[in-house]
Amino acid sequence: MADRDAGTRRSPDKRWVVVGVVTAALLLAAYAWSVGNYKRGLDETFVAPAPPADAVAVQLVPFSVDPSQQFAPTELAIYPGADLVTPEGRLRRDIAVDVFGLRSTTVTFRRGEIPTPVSIDVPTLGVVQQYPFDSYSFDVRARTVQERASGNTANPPALPMSLLSFFKVPGWKYTSEVSADRYSTGTHVVAGTIARDGATITIALIFLVLMVMFAALSVVTIVAGLRGRLEVTIGTAAWLTGAVFALVSLRNGLPGNPPIGSWMDILAYFWVIAVIMLMIGATVITLVIRGRPVRTD
């Protein structure tokens, strides 16, 4: 009898085995891709510039990106040459760095002080609603001048300078388009594009696919219940209701916390929530129609 029962058991469909193996391979590849991209973004090592004796190197170090406010908090540091500092490393004269752009500012490093990095906000223009494919322009123009000598009424002399950037922000990558690493007087430019790295894009797309898959599974479940292949109970409605709140938390927990109204919401997220809520309604209506009358006697 046991042998007969064993023989009548349905073996797994080979097609589903293939689908499972392919899905596992794709997830493994996506995992390796995302981890590798994230690690590469953290492997860069900062090397302090070594300017000529009469020049100064200006270093820009963005330490985060705020897409909603459209700026990158950035540390501005200077590395003066040997002729501009005392043996103790203190400035012989004031050195001012003029930063031009949408948020122009002048950062002054005072005579007698050891130059300490100063935080500035660099505008980064882009469209955050394009998450996770949003990108932002990073454009800085700067020059340095030295304090006039006592009694000198001429314009302050410009210092030979270079303008460098060092980008190491987790979840983001920077592509340089214009670099000013040579030393000369005048205004220098550093420009590039800041975009989400491969790890963030991969995770966001996987979550998006899983959201759509869950909507499809909810439809399959309710259709199977209507056809009598599954039992539709109040637990089914509770399961779908819990899924709605779970998807809200999942959406808000995406890397970078994109604002509501991004293209992924218009493309999928809002529709997934709508489909699941419709399935909740279909479940409740089915339970009411199939329910037995309640006896009052």
Side-chain angles (χ1 to χ4, degrees):
M1 186 68 179
D3 293 340
R4 185 183 302 174
D5 292 340
T8 58
R9 292 174 185 171
R10 298 181 61 185
S11 59
D13 193 324
K14 291 184 178 180
R15 291 175 298 178
W16 289 111
V17 174
V18 172
V19 170
V21 172
V22 172
T23 301
L26 290 176
L27 285 176
L28 183 61
Y31 174 80
W33 167 263
S34 60
V35 171
N37 273 273
Y38 190 82
K39 184 177 182 298
R40 278 193 294 272
L42 300 178
D43 283 345
E44 296 185 29
T45 302
F46 177 74
V47 178
D54 62 341
V56 60
V58 178
Q59 185 81 55
L60 299 170
V61 184
F63 55 86
S64 67
V65 179
D66 190 337
S68 60
Q69 299 298 322
Q70 303 280 288
F71 71 86
T74 302
E75 287 192 344
L76 186 152
I78 64 170
Y79 294 84
D83 291 350
L84 304 176
V85 294
T86 64
E88 296 80 20
R90 300 181 181 276
L91 293 177
R92 296 184 183 275
R93 290 186 179 177
D94 290 354
I95 294 179
V97 181
D98 296 328
V99 181
F100 306 100
L102 294 178
R103 296 188 180 183
S104 299
T105 186
T106 298
V107 180
T108 302
F109 299 88
R110 299 296 180 184
R111 173 184 178 182
E113 296 181 352
I114 297 176
T116 303
V118 175
S119 295
I120 62 173
D121 292 335
V122 176
T124 51
L125 302 182
V127 182
V128 67
Q129 284 75 19
Q130 292 178 348
Y131 175 96
F133 302 107
D134 49 333
S135 62
Y136 304 88
S137 61
F138 185 85
D139 190 335
V140 179
R141 291 169 171 77
R143 67 172 182 175
T144 55
V145 295
Q146 191 176 8
E147 180 192 31
R148 294 189 297 264
S150 178
N152 187 353
T153 59
N155 291 329
L159 284 171
M161 64 166 286
S162 68
L163 184 60
L164 309 169
S165 63
F166 177 77
F167 191 87
K168 191 175 182 180
V169 181
W172 297 89
K173 65 178 180 180
Y174 174 72
T175 303
S176 178
E177 298 171 359
V178 180
S179 181
D181 56 354
R182 69 184 188 278
Y183 291 88
S184 64
T185 58
T187 301
H188 290 246
V189 180
V190 163
T193 301
I194 299 174
R196 311 271 180 182
D197 66 4
T200 301
I201 294 175
T202 301
I203 292 172
L205 292 181
I206 288 176
F207 279 14
L208 188 62
V209 170
L210 292 177
M211 289 179 189
V212 175
M213 183 189 72
F214 197 94
L217 290 177
S218 68
V219 174
V220 170
T221 301
I222 302 307
V223 170
L226 293 175
R227 297 179 63 182
R229 302 186 64 178
L230 290 176
E231 183 181 2
V232 178
T233 65
I234 194 64
T236 306
W239 169 62
L240 293 173
T241 303
V244 171
F245 291 100
L247 288 173
V248 171
S249 299
L250 178 63
R251 164 64 180 76
N252 293 335
L254 284 172
N257 192 19
I260 292 293
S262 300
W263 76 269
M264 58 175 287
D265 298 322
I266 306 301
L267 177 67
Y269 174 70
F270 291 150
W271 298 103
V272 168
I273 296 296
V275 168
I276 294 177
M277 293 180 71
L278 287 174
M279 293 305 100
I280 294 173
T283 301
V284 174
I285 293 173
T286 301
L287 291 174
V288 171
I289 293 175
R290 293 181 179 179
R292 297 179 180 178
V294 178
R295 298 183 62 180
T296 58
D297 53 341

